[in-house]
Amino acid sequence: STSTSDSITIDSNINLYVWTGDTYDPGGSFTTQGTGNFVVATSSMASLDTATNTISGDIMLYGASVLTVSANTTVSGGDIITRTTASLTYSGTPTLTLAGSGSLGGGTATTTFYNLTASGSGTINASSTVAIDNDFNAGSKQWNFHATGTPLTLGGAFTPGSSTLSFQGAGNANIPALSYYNLDISPISGNATFTPISSAGWYNNSWGYRKSVTIDKTKVSTASGTTLSDFPVLVHIAGDNNLKATSSSGNVGSADG
């Protein structure tokens, strides 16, 4: 069955459920209060597509359900949980704001946003791949990405704020080339390889003698064992003729680099 409504505000601490196989498309703004969650059951479809929406609790999506966000929506509880093949997607140009701490994803589908922004401090644990097709404002939150492969993709601008983005997958992962405030690489287990995704950057891709430099995170600490997050690096490479100045039969245009 299909259900529609005008603007609706749910009583405090009451959840709204879209039952199995149903479709829910509100005809106005949608608001839960207190700890009220928005729950979309297995094989159901729901839309948040009018005015603005506020979920005071969490969004919870179960097997094969789909939630399409088409209007600006705030999730104050912090959780957007997807189970098995449930998926979150969007249409139009909505901004979804995460205002609390919680979990993001959990199922096999990519969790997809147009704009994703953070409000307040806290920690977001993303266990599924996150795709942000436009802008990402990370605010002051800690973002922990646990997926392998490419755990985060971004199609627009990145505003780091005072955030920390931590990549913690147990397997190999590609890391977006962004201007981070804090970047942390802490695999939860194993010997995963984390590879920056190449970007245009300041260099010219046609330069044939660029060198990749890998910093061993186990060597980045003070004598007392305190981990450093912002520090100078001296790179010394001996015996590589490509790095000699052109005046010395090398390939570097200037003797000072």
Side-chain angles (χ1 to χ4, degrees):
S1 64
T2 299
S3 175
T4 61
S5 66
D6 294 323
S7 295
I8 181 171
T9 298
I10 307 298
D11 289 343
S12 186
N13 305 326
I14 301 298
N15 300 332
L16 186 141
Y17 286 84
V18 181
W19 292 111
T20 299
D22 286 350
T23 297
Y24 178 62
D25 185 0
S29 60
F30 172 67
T31 303
T32 68
Q33 302 181 87
T35 59
N37 300 321
F38 184 35
V39 183
V40 184
T42 300
S43 301
S44 298
M45 299 183 67
S47 300
L48 296 174
D49 57 7
T50 307
T52 58
N53 307 286
T54 302
I55 311 299
S56 291
D58 303 318
I59 291 176
M60 307 174 72
L61 311 175
Y62 291 89
S65 64
V66 178
L67 173 60
T68 302
V69 177
S70 306
N72 293 345
T73 299
T74 297
V75 181
S76 299
D79 284 337
I80 301 178
I81 297 173
T82 59
R83 302 297 189 197
T84 60
T85 59
S87 63
L88 173 75
T89 188
Y90 72 88
S91 66
T93 58
T95 295
L96 193 144
T97 301
L98 288 175
S101 293
S103 299
L104 191 58
T108 58
T110 297
T111 305
T112 306
F113 304 91
Y114 182 72
N115 293 321
L116 178 62
T117 189
S119 174
S121 59
T123 300
I124 300 296
N125 288 291
S127 53
S128 303
T129 299
V130 175
I132 305 167
D133 290 346
N134 196 49
D135 296 342
F136 180 25
N137 185 333
S140 57
K141 291 189 186 299
Q142 165 103 16
W143 299 80
N144 299 328
F145 295 93
H146 297 279
T148 58
T150 304
L152 172 66
T153 61
L154 178 63
F158 176 57
T159 303
S162 57
S163 66
T164 296
L165 270 63
S166 179
F167 294 87
Q168 302 181 4
N172 297 345
N174 300 312
I175 299 175
L178 304 172
S179 295
Y180 297 90
Y181 182 79
N182 286 319
L183 170 62
D184 175 62
I185 299 174
S186 301
I188 58 175
S189 64
N191 296 302
T193 298
F194 293 84
T195 305
I197 300 173
S198 58
S199 93
W202 57 268
Y203 55 82
N204 188 325
N205 285 325
S206 68
W207 294 349
Y209 302 99
R210 291 179 289 120
K211 303 294 181 181
S212 174
V213 177
T214 300
I215 298 174
D216 184 350
K217 70 181 182 68
T218 65
K219 305 294 178 62
V220 182
S221 64
T222 64
S224 62
T226 302
T227 299
L228 301 177
S229 60
D230 188 5
F231 51 91
V233 175
L234 171 64
V235 178
H236 175 74
I237 301 176
D240 190 331
N241 290 332
N242 289 329
L243 297 183
K244 290 182 178 180
T246 52
S247 58
S248 299
S249 300
N251 294 289
V252 176
S254 173
D256 62 3

